[in-house]
Every structure is written in structure tokens, then in C-alpha cells.
Amino acid sequence: MSSLKLTSVNKIFPSGVPALTDINFEMDDHEFIVVVGQEKSGKSTLVRTICGLEDSSSGTIEMDGKDITGSEPKTRDMAVVFRGDSLFPGDTIFDNLGYGLKVRKAPQTLIEEKVKVVSQVLGITDLLYKKPKNLTAAEKLKVSMGRALVREPRIYLFDEPLNGLDSKLRADMLNLIINLQVRTKGSFIYATRNLQDALAIGTRLVVMREGFIQQIDTPANLYDYPANTYVAFYIGEPTMNLIFGAQLVSTEDGGVAVKGDFGSIPVSAKTKARIENLKDYLDKGRKVVLGIRPEDTQIVEEGGYFSGKVSENNYAGNAIYTEINAGRSVLLVKFKEVGTDWNGDITDGTPVKDHDVQVKADTDHLYLFDGETRLTILAKDEGYQKTSHKDADRMPKSYLEEREILKELAPKKKKKK
């Protein structure tokens, strides 16, 4: 298999629209990296640029230390599985599976041997002499993966291959992909907008937004140590509560609290010790963004840190969450855990709409970000599981820097005469 390194890779479409900006990351041999992001985040463009279907505008792409930036796709020894049906409709499944070897002028006996082995592994032996039009969506996807496996490439790339499949098929195919990676000991890059898929299969995640890498790290580190507000909000379900316009203030007992229009919440000694450059924020009126995960909150009868008015109740995961309005902020707060015998009724006994409730939070698990840059102001502590990858130490550009770069790169409108 193979390692990969991208250095300062940029991609600007012929229209002038920037698609990738300053992309830097490395993938080790046998690693499973997931590129995750919302629509138009650049993840598909990144996959296509790595395999050579898109030319980078600048920067370098190396595989096993060799510069492959300008090389043709067929010389990169990579295989891509795209979303949807990419099979040749007029060919049998056997011919589709063996196509990659055939164009490389492999002997027919080798093609037959490889197709036989891969079809057995994927459980599609009975499909070999059918045409793609006679296959189900799941069977077509298996054939697409088989076509990649037959070639035994150095790197496998997947571009949202499970889009459109129902939840059961999606789970089955995801398990198949995981097993294939284990079986082949391959180097896999998998692009998806589905966060659950990403968290389930990736050893490391590359989080993208609008062509910028936001953070690269393990799923656990991304959840506990997000580099900015975007990663904090994106990684986790339900999503993190973000309260903008807050400030850090001193308390009478010598501690620190986060104050905003929602009220005030104390900062624990553990969290306080992690605040970098505290003196630049404390009692200076400098804005911060407070992040609180819903699972780290609790509705209490008394002794809450702040209060809010009930808007509605929701069920997520294994708990009931109450949406409350606190000042100008709308927060999701845990009401209670639910057991296996729960019947799905979230009206009986739940907080009543428009009533006030008190909220308490785990102050050891508060998240704090600079109000302008939206970058974290919390240092990593002993809970951070450091890896050998330097990518994790790379801080993303600030929100303002990203806006300025996109503004500068945006196609200029022609002035009317």
C-alpha cells in the first residue's frame, strides 16, 4: 500500500471560484482517513485532485515520497469508487470488474483469477454475467468496489459512495468497506457528509469547510478538543450550544465566570487552568464564544447556574432534551435519560412550554473560543490523546482570515459600461 502527503495544495476552478485553499495533510500506510464536511466543503474536489481527475492550481502531492502532482490519473495507481452508478452499462459484471486490468494489458488468466477471488469476497459470483441494469443499488456498489479491489491499487478513494441507500443497506455496505480495509490492509480515503459514518470508520478525520481544512485529528480528540467553533458545532450529536457575545469576568471568591445575556456560569478550576492568555480576556470586555454540549447540561429544580423559558422537548440518542430560550440564545438542555422500556412519549412529565427551568452544567467541560477569530482559547490537557501526526498541531485559519481569502479569491464582477 502507500503513504500520501499534500503540501499547500490549492485548486481554483476555471470560473475563478476557489475550491481548495492551502491543503496540508499526510496519510500513513494502511491508514483509514475520512474527509468530512457539508455540501460544497471541497471534499469531493480533494478526492478528485488526489487521484488526478482534477489538476491542482498549486502545491504538491507526493506518494511514498515521489512527487505525482502533474502525473496522469492512470499512472498514480489509485482506484476511486464514486457515488451513484459508474459502471459500463453495455458490459457484463465480469468485464466491468476486469476493466482496470484489461487496459493495463494484464494476461486473461490473471484477470479471470483476480475477478474470481474478488467476486467471492464480495459475494457477487452469481452476478458475473449479468448487465448493470439488472442489479440493485447495493449490488452495483459492490461491483464498483470490486473493480477497485481487482486492481490492487496503492490507495483506495471513496467519494460519498453510500449516498441514496437506506439506513440498513448503508450500515451493511459500511461494514463491508471496513472489512475490506482490514482484509487488504489498504490505505483508504473516504469522503462523506455523513458524520455518523465518519465517526464510525475513520481512524482520523479531516474536517473541511468551504475548501479550508478546519482540523485533522482522531474522532475523540475532535469531540473533546475542537480547534474552532465550526468543529465544535459539527462534531457531536446533538450539536453543541454556542453562545456568542459572552465575556470572562472575575467572581467575588476569586474565580472566573462566563457572563452573557443568558446569565452567568462559573468556570471550574480545571477549565480556568486551560485558558490561554486569561489576562487578555478577564474583565477586559473582550468577547468570547461559550460552548456547552447538551449532554453536559441538566435541568434541575434548584441550584441552577441560569434559567430559561421552555420552547419544546426533543428526543435524541438515549435522552430527552429540552429547548429553552435564555436571553437571546436558544439552548438544548438535557432533561433526562431514557431506558429501553421508554415508549417514545415526550409529553408526559417533561418541562411545560413557556415555563421557566433552571440549568446546571458540567463546568469541567466548557468550551471557550475567541469572539473574533472563533479559535479555541483552551490549551490541551492530559486528556488529549496525542498521535504521531503533526497535522493535529496545525491551527486553522481564523474565521476572519478565511473570509478575507475567499473575498480576495472570488471572481471579480465585470463593471457595466
Side-chain angles (χ1 to χ4, degrees), residues 205-244:
L205 271 55
V206 178
V207 183
M208 296 192 67
R209 179 182 64 174
E210 297 184 278
F212 292 90
I213 288 179
Q214 303 297 308
Q215 192 173 355
I216 306 174
D217 216 324
T218 65
N221 285 341
L222 291 172
Y223 180 88
D224 289 324
Y225 301 90
N228 59 20
T229 54
Y230 181 80
V231 176
F233 184 81
Y234 191 71
I235 303 296
E237 194 173 335
T239 55
M240 181 186 288
N241 297 305
L242 292 174
I243 303 172
F244 289 79

Side-chain angles (χ1 to χ4, degrees), residues 73-128:
K74 63 183 180 181
T75 66
R76 298 195 182 195
D77 201 7
M78 301 179 186
V80 190
V81 178
F82 292 104
R83 72 186 94 177
D85 185 2
S86 60
L87 303 178
F88 299 118
D91 291 347
T92 65
I93 299 309
F94 179 94
D95 290 335
N96 267 282
L97 288 171
Y99 175 78
L101 292 177
K102 184 177 180 180
V103 297
R104 286 166 175 74
K105 304 186 184 306
Q108 184 62 27
T109 53
L110 178 62
I111 294 174
E112 292 177 358
E113 178 186 340
K114 295 288 186 182
V115 168
K116 179 181 178 181
V117 171
V118 168
S119 62
Q120 289 175 341
V121 169
L122 294 172
I124 55 173
T125 305
D126 57 336
L127 306 178
L128 290 179

